């Protein structure tokens, strides 16, 4: 019989507290074969057989994943190790393990790279404070020489800890901070009560790390992801209650687990209003409803959006891992799913489709998928499986600390390339060498630039190609499409290389002095502009000087339709997509010469 203590409350975030007393397990438990959705293939990328650290004990399994710009997989184990798992022969299986760094055990639950290549991680001292750490490899030897505490003393001494972290489109680092208690009230001596930072999503500027509360009432915000196009933030929320597996179980009144659309200043209900808010409950006033609910105790653990060259018809669908498998309820859970989202101007984001990508093979509710990452070059999906329970019976010596690689059927026969480096040059730069990082590149592969082969040669390793662009290709502003073709004719995805116009063209730059949004008539000023508003009758007016006859009005980098213009003012149409989410959006004018104005801000509030 397996005795699980406080398992539902702590989820993954206090494994050593929730487990582990085993006096024999169900002898008949069997691994079910994984079931992969049509059109996908899966293989075992990493396991205790090729990653020795995974074999060292119950807490040495993978809990967080992140890819660097070169497409190398960094893995945090629950015991505190940060590993680099390399597939040097490009066969989809780990063949080399490096130790990048170490953090205190029991809590590096999130990994995220910044634009400059620094690795950020959450770190939790067992029973104590949560931290945000920065690991820096200044000399490029794959060892972090500098490990620095960026934020300390986060309230992680209760039932939940500091979880995932993600850089947002605003450049801020967002992270989840779990609740201190199960349902809002301490249940044991010495348990800290809920504090102002508990059950929140927080954010910081890593260069000036003052903690800002972005959203509240999120009991255990474990998985987080930003929409690649709109920048909207989504998070899972694991709800309160115990999972009773054996004996005379009391009536289960737990509410369903959730996926939420997170907006700035949003309240998601914990602890006064768990589950779906109701109008007759005063504790639910102002609480935002969940976007998606899952059966209680399933424990959604990770989110990411499906992007990259393999996503195809599923581009920007939301991938989610469900950690627990409930064998007593039709074997639900323990899988990777994809959600198709739609934005409704009245109700916000809604889930229109929810389908399984892979059903894994857990043998109990505490052996399942906990993290997802997309390889940035090929678009392969990687899923970490964590198994912190000492099994009984035929599985007593097994630890299912695995990382799976999932890809579209037949994609291993195709080459893939990432963005070229550099990604752009100024016209007239002359001949230029660009570097392409690739996957499944064969000896003799050639580079095709705008339909023509260009000289290419191997780079530093089998994953790199160097291509020489002639001066004729960089002589004038243009967009160059780049592909790689393997011997036999198979071609990669297309990447773009930009030749830009002179950044300092003649003529004065446009100047912005003020902006406003109005409805139908200028006298009907709309302030504030509310997220989700219909843009049909809204107009954006900017006033300034030096606007030329072909000037464009840009909102968050996108040109809007012009209604009227003169040398001192421009009126443009906003779109529903621009107003879909709250934010602080830059507004500029760009003249036909390419000159850009100063920036004003369009505020869209929740």
């Amino acid at each position: 019989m397996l005795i699980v203590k406080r398992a539902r409350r702590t989820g993954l975030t206090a494994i050593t507290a929730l487990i582990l007393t085993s006096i024999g397990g169900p002898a008949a438990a069997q691994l079910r074969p994984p079931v992969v959705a049509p059109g996908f293939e899966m293989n075992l990328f990493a396991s205790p057989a090729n990653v020795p650290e995974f074999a060292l004990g119950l807490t040495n399994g993978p809990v967080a994943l992140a890819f660097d710009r070169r497409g190398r997989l960094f893995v945090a184990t629950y015991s505190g190790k940060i590993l680099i798992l390399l597939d040097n022969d490009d066969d989809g299986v780990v063949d080399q393990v490096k130790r990048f760094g170490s953090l205190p055990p029991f809590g590096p639950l999130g990994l995220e790279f910044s634009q400059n290549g620094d690795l950020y991680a959450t770190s939790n001292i067992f029973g104590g404070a949560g931290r945000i750490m920065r690991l820096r490899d200044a000399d490029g030897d794959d060892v972090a020489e500098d490990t620095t505490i960026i934020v300390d003393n986060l309230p992680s001494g209760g039932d939940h800890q500091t979880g995932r972290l993600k850089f947002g489109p605003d450049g801020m680092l967002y992270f989840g901070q779990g609740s201190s208690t199960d349902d809002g009230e301490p249940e044991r001596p010495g348990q800290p009560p809920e504090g102002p930072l508990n059950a929140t999503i927080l954010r910081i500027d890593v260069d000036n790390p003052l903690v800002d509360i972005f959203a509240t009432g999120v009991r255990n915000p474990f998985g987080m992801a930003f929409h690649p196009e709109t920048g909207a933030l989504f998070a899972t929320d694991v709800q309160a209650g115990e999972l009773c597996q054996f004996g005379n179980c009391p009536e289960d009144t737990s509410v369903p687990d959730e996926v939420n659309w997170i907006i700035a200043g949003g309240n998601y209900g914990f602890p006064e209003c768990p589950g779906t808010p109701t109008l007759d409950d005063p504790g639910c006033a102002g609480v935002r409803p969940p976007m998606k609910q899952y059966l209680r105790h399933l424990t959604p653990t990770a989110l990411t959006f499906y992007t990259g060259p393999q996503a195809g018809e599923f581009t920007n669908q939301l991938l989610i891992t469900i950690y627990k498998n409930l064998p007593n309820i039709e074997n639900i859970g323990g899988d990777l799913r994809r959600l198709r989202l739609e934005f409704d101007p009245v109700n916000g984001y809604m889930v229109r489709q929810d389908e399984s990508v892979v059903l894994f093979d857990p043998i109990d509710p505490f052996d399942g998928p906990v993290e997802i990452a997309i390889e940035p070059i090929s678009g392969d999906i990687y899923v970490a499986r964590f198994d912190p329970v000492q099994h009984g019976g035929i599985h007593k010596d097994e630890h299912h600390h695995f990382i799976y690689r999932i890809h579209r059927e037949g994609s291993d026969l195709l080459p893939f390339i990432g963005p070229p480096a550099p990604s752009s040059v100024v016209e007239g730069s002359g001949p230029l060498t660009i570097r392409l990082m690739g996957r499944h590149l064969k000896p003799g592969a050639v580079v095709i630039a705008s339909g023509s082969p260009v000289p290419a040669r191997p780079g530093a390793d089998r994953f790199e190609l160097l291509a020489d662009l002639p001066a004729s290709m960089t002589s004038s502003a243009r967009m160059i499409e780049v592909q790689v073709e393997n011997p036999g004719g198979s071609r990669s995805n297309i990447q773009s290389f930009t030749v830009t116009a002179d950044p300092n063209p003649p003529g004065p730059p446009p100047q912005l002095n003020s902006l406003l949004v109005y409805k139908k008539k200028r006298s009907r000023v709309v302030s504030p502009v509310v997220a989700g508003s219909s843009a049909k009758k809204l107009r954006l007016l900017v006033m300034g000087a030096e606007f030329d006859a072909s000037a464009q009005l840009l909102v968050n980098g996108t040109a809007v339709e012009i209604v009227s213009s003169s040398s001192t003012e421009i009126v443009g149409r906003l779109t529903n997509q621009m107003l879909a989410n709250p934010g602080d959006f830059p507004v500029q004018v760009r003249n036909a010469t390419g000159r850009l104005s100063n920036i004003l801000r369009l505020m869209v509030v929740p």
Side-chain angles (χ1 to χ4, degrees):
M1 177 179 179
L2 179 66
I3 302 172
V4 181
K5 299 180 179 179
R6 198 167 291 280
R8 184 68 182 101
R9 297 181 182 176
T10 50
L12 289 175
T13 58
I15 293 296
T16 54
L18 71 85
I19 20 186
L20 295 169
T21 305
S22 179
I23 50 175
Q30 297 288 334
L31 291 171
R32 69 184 186 192
V35 179
V36 183
F40 289 88
E41 297 177 325
M42 184 178 80
N43 69 272
L44 191 59
F45 175 75
S47 72
N50 57 5
V51 182
E53 286 79 359
F54 289 0
L56 295 178
L58 297 174
T59 62
N60 280 276
V63 291
L65 308 175
F67 282 96
D68 68 3
R69 286 173 293 188
R70 294 164 58 189
R72 304 184 308 163
L73 182 60
F74 286 64
V75 178
T77 70
Y78 197 70
S79 59
K81 302 180 183 70
I82 310 294
L83 310 174
I84 310 175
L85 304 187
L86 300 175
D87 173 18
N88 293 307
D89 58 6
D90 202 16
D91 68 348
V93 179
V94 171
D95 52 37
Q96 184 181 7
V97 179
K98 294 184 177 182
R99 174 80 69 86
F100 181 72
S102 296
L103 296 175
F106 314 124
L109 300 175
L111 290 180
E112 178 81 340
F113 279 99
S114 65
Q115 287 293 324
N116 70 358
D118 290 338
L119 181 62
Y120 288 83
T122 54
S123 177
N124 293 278
I125 301 172
F126 181 65
R131 294 171 171 172
I132 304 297
M133 309 287 291
R134 185 190 67 212
L135 295 89
R136 177 173 289 171
D137 174 18
D139 59 7
D141 65 350
D142 293 337
V143 176
E145 298 87 13
D146 176 18
T147 301
T148 302
I149 299 173
I150 302 299
V151 177
D152 204 357
N153 297 315
L154 294 166
S156 294
D159 279 357
H160 302 109
Q161 296 177 309
T162 310
R164 302 278 192 240
L165 72 174
K166 300 288 181 183
F167 277 101
D170 57 1
M172 303 278 277
L173 183 62
Y174 291 69
F175 54 96
Q177 179 64 53
S179 65
S180 177
T181 67
D182 181 44
D183 58 8
E185 295 294 331
E187 294 183 336
R188 58 186 184 272
Q191 182 178 17
E194 300 297 343
L197 298 185
N198 285 113
T200 62
I201 290 178
L202 307 173
R203 65 179 178 179
I204 59 171
D205 176 350
V206 295
D207 296 319
N208 184 29
L210 300 176
V211 175
D212 175 49
I213 298 176
F214 186 75
T216 60
V218 194
R219 178 182 176 272
N220 191 8
F222 207 70
M224 292 197 305
F226 286 93
H227 193 290
E229 291 184 347
T230 69
L233 174 60
F234 300 86
T236 65
D237 193 3
V238 182
Q239 297 298 309
E242 300 282 1
L243 172 60
C244 180
Q245 300 180 75
F246 307 106
N248 296 320
C249 295
E251 180 185 1
D252 195 339
T253 60
S254 305
V255 299
D257 291 338
E258 299 175 353
V259 181
N260 289 295
W261 170 34
I262 305 294
I263 67 169
N267 174 14
Y268 295 85
F270 179 84
E272 294 87 359
C273 181
T276 302
T278 57
L279 293 176
D280 59 352
D281 185 345
C284 293
V287 171
R288 296 184 64 84
M291 181 185 73
K292 170 72 178 178
Q293 290 182 313
Y294 284 101
L295 186 69
R296 56 196 175 201
H297 310 310
L298 280 182
T299 313
T301 47
L303 296 175
T304 197
F305 280 91
Y306 196 7
T307 57
Q310 294 183 48
E313 70 274 25
F314 304 137
T315 294
N316 293 340
Q317 293 194 4
L318 188 60
L319 300 177
I320 180 171
T321 49
I322 306 296
Y323 175 50
K324 292 183 180 178
N325 174 258
L326 305 182
N328 296 328
I329 311 176
E330 299 180 359
N331 229 14
I332 292 175
D335 57 346
L336 170 69
R337 309 190 66 80
R338 59 176 178 85
L339 312 181
R340 182 171 63 84
L341 307 184
E342 287 185 2
F343 182 80
D344 181 280
V346 176
N347 300 302
Y349 283 96
M350 305 178 70
V351 176
R352 295 301 189 191
Q353 189 176 14
D354 181 351
E355 295 185 351
S356 173
V357 178
V358 179
L359 294 170
F360 295 104
D361 52 355
I363 65 171
D364 61 50
F366 304 97
D367 167 15
V370 297
E371 173 70 306
I372 326 166
I374 305 293
E375 202 274 332
I377 298 173
S378 68
D380 291 348
I381 305 168
Y382 286 72
V383 174
R385 173 176 170 180
F386 187 53
D387 181 14
V389 173
Q390 182 63 59
H391 304 297
I394 60 175
H395 302 292
K396 64 183 178 66
D397 297 322
E398 296 179 10
H399 304 301
H400 305 121
H401 296 326
F402 296 158
I403 298 175
Y404 300 98
R405 170 178 166 264
I406 301 153
H407 55 100
R408 300 298 286 269
E409 195 171 47
S411 63
D412 276 354
L413 301 177
L414 302 174
F416 293 99
I417 56 172
S423 59
S424 66
V425 294
V426 176
E427 60 185 357
S429 295
L432 178 75
T433 298
I434 60 172
R435 179 170 61 90
L436 297 170
M437 296 297 297
R439 294 292 182 267
H440 314 317
L441 304 179
K442 304 298 183 183
V446 297
V447 174
I448 310 296
S450 289
S452 301
V454 297
R457 60 191 186 280
D461 55 37
R462 65 177 298 156
F463 301 106
E464 184 177 85
L465 274 180
L466 302 177
D468 298 318
L469 304 185
S472 59
M473 282 192 172
T474 64
S475 61
S476 60
R478 61 187 299 196
M479 184 75 73
I480 298 174
E481 292 187 338
V482 179
Q483 278 184 293
V484 167
E485 182 178 297
N486 273 341
S490 60
R491 287 198 176 188
S492 73
N493 55 306
I494 296 174
Q495 294 285 0
S496 295
F497 177 82
T498 306
V499 182
T500 63
D502 185 344
N504 297 301
Q511 295 292 324
L512 289 184
N513 297 328
S514 62
L515 65 78
L516 60 85
V517 175
Y518 67 86
K519 187 173 183 179
K520 291 187 178 179
K521 299 180 180 180
R522 295 193 185 189
S523 59
R524 299 180 61 182
V525 175
V526 177
S527 181
V529 180
V530 178
S533 298
S534 172
K536 184 177 181 180
K537 298 179 181 179
L538 297 183
R539 302 292 182 265
L540 174 62
L541 167 65
V542 297
M543 289 165 280
E546 304 292 351
F547 304 158
D548 67 23
S550 299
Q552 294 178 303
L553 178 57
L554 309 178
V555 178
N556 205 25
T558 299
V560 304
E561 180 184 348
I562 301 298
V563 176
S564 64
S565 66
S566 71
S567 61
T568 58
E569 66 177 45
I570 299 176
V571 177
R573 297 180 188 273
L574 295 171
T575 67
N576 288 335
Q577 184 175 6
M578 289 174 177
L579 303 183
N581 304 297
D584 179 7
F585 303 114
V587 175
Q588 287 181 286
V589 167
R590 179 169 60 201
N591 278 344
T593 62
R595 287 273 193 158
L596 280 168
S597 73
N598 55 308
I599 295 175
L600 297 181
R601 316 296 299 192
L602 171 64
M603 297 294 298
V604 179
V605 302

